[in-house]
Amino acid sequence: MTRKRKVGQAILPGHRSDPTGTDRLERGAMRRFIPIMRAATKAYQDALDKIPARPIAVNQRYEFRLDQGLLMQLLTQAGAVLDDLLFDRYGSTWLFDDYVRPAAERGARQAQQNLSRQASIPMADLINTDPYRLRMALVRAREFEEMQGLSAGIKADLSRILTEGIGRGLNPRDIARNLNAQTDISIFRAHRIARTEIPNALRTARMEEDEQIMEDYGIRTMQMHFSALSPTTRASHAARHGGLFTIEQQQNWWSDGANSINCRCVSISLLVDADNKPLDPAIVERAKRIKQTVEARRG
């Protein structure tokens, strides 16, 4: 008779409503985005103020006295204000340095602690491993591209509002109000990036570190999906709670459509046998009971 291997208990999230544990980081990034988006709007309003305009009698329109060279110069200067607030001179972003990187580091360490407890194996110094440094470099490059996309989108929207207003001969005050109205949209887009990229960095780091540990120590694992189960949780996310999946299945699911956007779910690596059955099935039952309790409270 084969004796079942004794394992330590997997580490479940400390806060059920915030399984990734990144809420504080996300809120910090969101707060930081607000003055930046307002400054971007003001830069385009300042550009508008530099364009001479006078009312004309026909249809209460305004005539703006500028040429293409002046317009492009003003738009470039306004756009540079936003870029200076998003990027540093070293090709990085404050979002990565202060929020995404700490989330990724936390996720990798969580993966180590979780599997170290279950398998009773020592772990290498995370920061000094080549695979880890490579993964962090890839995350940094991804976040740089993400912020470039955000910057380009905001500059395109503000430039369009400014140039369309000029082309239609609108009152400069009306153009300024239209620019200001765009601020909330810019903030919303920035906040969605914070709410998506920070927890995604933690989730990805956990799974990538799990994969590295499996390779290094020859252990078998499966990923247990753990959902926040909040009132705003999508049904498709809650349905996966307590389910076991491969790392590839989890990665594919999060990369599909909008699954990763504003998602608070996380993956927990569990040791399994040759048939991919958890060596500690009680932890899966515990996760499922959490879901049953939440659903019962809601009636």
Side-chain angles (χ1 to χ4, degrees):
M1 180 177 178
T2 303
R3 297 182 62 182
K4 194 171 184 179
R5 179 181 177 184
K6 186 177 180 180
V7 299
Q9 192 173 72
I11 302 174
L12 294 184
H15 300 282
R16 181 188 59 76
S17 60
D18 181 25
T20 61
T22 58
D23 185 68
R24 181 173 295 182
L25 285 172
E26 293 167 39
R27 292 183 183 277
M30 290 166 69
R31 285 193 298 269
R32 194 159 169 182
F33 267 124
I34 293 173
I36 290 176
M37 298 302 110
R38 289 174 177 165
T41 297
K42 187 178 185 303
Y44 282 82
Q45 290 173 333
D46 290 344
L48 174 64
D49 291 340
K50 296 175 183 177
I51 301 174
R54 67 180 180 87
I56 55 179
V58 180
N59 297 326
Q60 298 182 330
R61 287 168 55 88
Y62 275 72
E63 179 183 63
F64 294 84
R65 296 191 294 274
L66 80 165
D67 56 32
Q68 184 176 358
L70 174 59
L71 178 60
M72 292 306 298
Q73 178 184 352
L74 293 174
L75 292 177
T76 299
Q77 291 173 348
V81 171
L82 177 58
D83 286 340
D84 287 344
L85 293 170
L86 293 179
F87 306 98
D88 65 27
R89 69 185 67 181
Y90 305 108
S92 188
T93 69
W94 57 261
L95 180 66
F96 171 77
D97 293 335
D98 298 340
Y99 299 97
V100 171
R101 179 167 59 189
E105 289 176 351
R106 183 184 302 175
R109 292 190 188 282
Q110 287 174 350
Q112 283 197 336
Q113 292 165 1
N114 178 50
L115 285 178
S116 178
R117 174 190 283 192
Q118 292 180 70
S120 299
I121 51 180
M123 295 296 170
D125 181 8
L126 179 67
I127 304 299
N128 292 325
T129 62
D130 290 337
Y132 174 79
R133 286 195 289 262
L134 174 59
R135 294 199 300 268
M136 290 300 291
L138 294 174
V139 174
R140 177 178 177 176
R142 168 184 163 79
E143 295 314 312
F144 187 81
E145 290 184 4
E146 190 72 29
M147 292 286 264
Q148 281 187 316
L150 174 66
S151 176
I154 290 172
K155 287 188 287 189
D157 288 340
L158 293 174
S159 295
R160 173 183 51 78
I161 292 171
L162 178 60
T163 55
E164 284 185 358
I166 291 173
R168 293 169 56 193
L170 297 182
N171 187 313
R173 288 193 297 271
D174 292 332
I175 300 176
R177 278 194 292 268
N178 292 340
L179 289 168
N180 194 56
Q182 186 68 23
T183 304
D184 288 342
I185 298 175
S186 299
I187 291 174
F188 173 81
R189 292 174 62 183
H191 282 184
R192 187 173 68 175
I193 286 178
R195 281 293 193 189
T196 300
E197 295 301 315
I198 295 171
N200 188 58
L202 180 135
R203 283 191 296 265
T204 301
R206 284 180 68 125
M207 290 187 289
E208 289 178 341
E209 190 64 23
D210 287 337
E211 202 164 36
Q212 187 67 49
I213 293 171
M214 288 171 61
E215 180 180 333
D216 291 344
Y217 293 93
I219 60 177
R220 296 178 63 92
T221 71
M222 292 287 283
Q223 301 286 308
M224 181 175 72
H225 196 100
F226 199 97
S227 169
L229 301 173
S230 66
T232 58
T233 296
R234 285 162 277 187
S236 59
H237 291 225
R240 294 174 71 87
H241 183 87
L244 296 182
F245 307 91
T246 65
I247 290 175
E248 184 179 10
Q249 286 172 333
Q250 286 292 76
Q251 290 171 332
N252 289 341
W253 183 79
W254 265 305
S255 65
D256 184 32
N259 283 338
S260 67
I261 297 177
N262 292 322
C263 177
R264 311 205 65 75
C265 303
V266 74
S267 272
I268 300 167
S269 192
L270 304 181
L271 289 181
V272 297
D273 60 21
D275 297 320
N276 289 333
K277 302 295 183 183
L279 298 183
D280 180 18
I283 200 72
V284 178
E285 294 304 315
R286 182 180 169 190
K288 291 180 178 178
R289 284 198 301 272
I290 290 173
K291 182 181 179 183
Q292 293 169 353
T293 300
V294 172
E295 291 175 343
R297 287 174 179 171
R298 293 178 187 160

